[in-house]
Amino acid sequence: MSKPKIRAITPFDATIGTTVDFDWSGRQMKSNIATIKDASTGNVVYQVTQDSFKGVHTIAANAGLVNNTNYQITIAVIDMDDITSEESDAVLFSCYTTPIITMAHLYEDK
């Protein structure tokens, strides 16, 4: 059985979440399992199964990830016959706080 291939993940804010895209060329998928580990400790911090016929896994806001941290993710697919694929190769990504940009109006009193 083939294994999924995760596309590049742009750094995101853990308080906002993101969608992870992946490619799959096996039998029709019905769900996927994403496993995320802290890149420095190897501890699993997230493992969620989502029903989806598409090559996407949505990581919700505040799903246990922390900003200013590096992670690695793998995804396995469960097909229509309830057969689970091999896990994808691990992909590294980072979470960072979204910057807040403000525009200040500077003027001089005359």
Side-chain angles (χ1 to χ4, degrees), residues 34 54 72 90:
K54 298 179 180 180
Q72 60 180 4

Side-chain angles (χ1 to χ4, degrees), residues 14-34:
T15 65
I16 296 173
T18 195
T19 299
V20 176
D21 296 314
F22 63 92
D23 296 315
W24 169 248
S25 61
R27 294 179 50 85
Q28 176 64 53
M29 78 175 87
K30 71 174 187 178
S31 56
N32 63 73
I33 306 164

